Amino acid sequence: MSAPATQGERREIPAADARAGLEALKAEGFNVLVDLTCVDYLAQKRAPRFDVVYRLMKLDAAEGRDLGRVEIHCAADAQPVLRSVRDLWPVADWLEREVWDMFGVGFIDRPDIKRLLMYETFVGHPLRKDYPIAKRQPLIGPKSGEKADSPSFNILKPTVVGE
Amino acid sequence: MPLEETIAPAGTMTTQIDAALGWARKYSIFQYPFVTACCGMEFMSTAASHYDLDRFGAGFPRFSPRQADCLMVVGTISHKIAPVLRRIYDQMAEPKWVIAFGVCTCTGGFYNNYSTVQGIDTIVPVDLYIPGCPPRPETVIQGLVMLQEKIQKTGGRPRRVVEAAP
């Protein structure tokens, strides 16, 4: 195995042009979407607040070699501006659902997107920096403020509060 | 004359039916491993031939709750899967016991966050807590022996009236 051709260049693309840029990269040979994730820059007061990150790789499937990587950053807000890339890389279907679930960043051509990890009745997006750290939304069991009849719950977790 | 003195010379002995039942039940624990996370590797290690849970009569995992006596909750329980765990517990026939295997099931462990149940005893009644992240097989075996003592003492009677799941 030789070393990767490049260690991965970082590129900023405006969210509105992201789809065209990613299509061009796919045509250039970036055939694997390694990761699609998001960062919340609430504390840094950045506008737009979120940074959606696409990490791409050129994979030589015959030899199993990594021929280069690139990292695309798109500043985005909670209002959907990005277009889905499901048709370019099918794995984006799940990853976009995860970004929506955890950060609440939507995609304009996926209006009825479903949560991936949390349950349907969950309110809010837990990886946002303004999600209350002690907020709990259990499906069953003790809810807002009430204590369970449980020694571990009562002794070890006095700070846990409900909604 | 008391009954015992009448029948003792005839080669019989008296005992309690509960004690006999408890003795029988503690060596035939059919377990249901509810494995969700990394503690499962330690559970496999405990159940496999090196540590050999079968020595204690608990070597027979049943993957149907209807056939199981002991629910072993192994690994982190998230709020999403909590109703499933509750239903599994409700489907088990009495007498039944619950082991919280690993610190995540005991208290939530270090996952004090939006997704993790802070101790499965907020959902189902727990008989035995085995702490550790993960617990060593020796700890699990000690816990199992303690559960056997508990079964011997209670004779395997239904311990409590369990209300229906909400």
Side-chain angles (χ1 to χ4, degrees), chain A residues 37-125:
Chain A
T37 186
C38 185
V39 185
D40 182 359
Y41 286 105
L42 177 73
Q44 287 78 8
K45 298 193 170 47
R46 193 188 279 193
R49 172 177 162 186
F50 298 99
D51 191 19
V52 178
V53 185
Y54 297 82
R55 301 187 62 231
L56 306 174
M57 177 170 80
K58 269 184 197 167
L59 176 71
D60 179 355
E63 304 229 352
R65 285 171 61 208
D66 179 355
L67 298 177
R69 294 178 183 236
V70 67
E71 199 172 285
I72 308 299
H73 290 250
C74 306
D77 236 323
Q79 290 302 318
V81 278
L82 287 161
R83 284 178 59 200
S84 173
V85 292
R86 273 183 297 177
D87 50 331
L88 301 180
W89 299 280
V91 68
D93 189 6
W94 280 26
L95 295 172
E96 284 168 3
R97 282 174 61 192
E98 187 183 7
V99 166
W100 159 251
D101 190 2
M102 294 287 118
F103 292 94
V105 175
F107 297 86
I108 39 177
D109 45 358
R110 302 192 69 174
D112 52 351
I113 194 165
K114 276 175 71 183
R115 289 182 180 276
L116 180 67
L117 300 172
M118 304 311 292
Y119 28 95
E120 288 295 310
T121 51
F122 193 86
V123 179
H125 302 283

Side-chain angles (χ1 to χ4, degrees), chain B:
Chain B
M1 184 181 276
L3 182 66
E4 289 85 352
E5 290 175 30
T6 318
I7 60 175
T12 57
M13 56 177 281
T14 58
T15 181
Q16 290 173 297
I17 189 75
D18 279 353
L21 277 177
W23 177 83
R25 281 174 173 150
K26 76 174 180 177
Y27 292 125
S28 63
I29 298 173
F30 285 17
Q31 23 142 344
Y32 181 98
F34 192 90
V35 178
T36 57
C38 37
C39 272
M41 306 311 288
E42 213 65 23
F43 171 77
M44 290 173 215
S45 165
T46 313
S49 53
H50 188 85
Y51 288 97
D52 197 9
L53 267 187
D54 211 4
R55 291 180 293 163
F56 306 94
F60 195 29
R62 305 305 298 158
F63 294 104
S64 160
R66 308 269 185 207
Q67 302 169 351
D69 304 314
C70 176
L71 177 62
M72 292 185 93
V73 186
V74 183
T76 319
I77 299 298
S78 65
H79 286 306
K80 194 175 182 179
I81 209 168
V84 179
L85 175 63
R86 177 72 205 200
R87 172 163 292 194
I88 294 282
Y89 175 80
D90 288 339
Q91 284 178 340
M92 289 170 64
E94 291 280 2
K96 57 186 171 185
W97 299 273
V98 179
I99 294 180
F101 185 117
V103 75
C104 287
T105 52
C106 294
T107 67
F110 49 71
Y111 299 111
N112 185 0
N113 62 17
Y114 62 90
S115 67
T116 307
V117 174
Q118 302 296 299
I120 58 161
D121 48 10
T122 61
I123 302 168
V124 294
V126 175
D127 291 280
L128 186 83
Y129 300 84
I130 303 176
C133 183
R136 279 196 61 82
E138 291 90 338
T139 322
V140 180
I141 288 169
Q142 187 192 4
L144 188 76
V145 171
M146 288 168 75
L147 181 70
Q148 287 182 335
E149 286 168 11
K150 182 169 184 172
I151 294 171
Q152 173 73 75
K153 279 180 194 152
T154 59
R157 281 165 297 172
R159 298 149 297 151
R160 51 180 80 81
V161 179
V162 181
E163 72 257 40

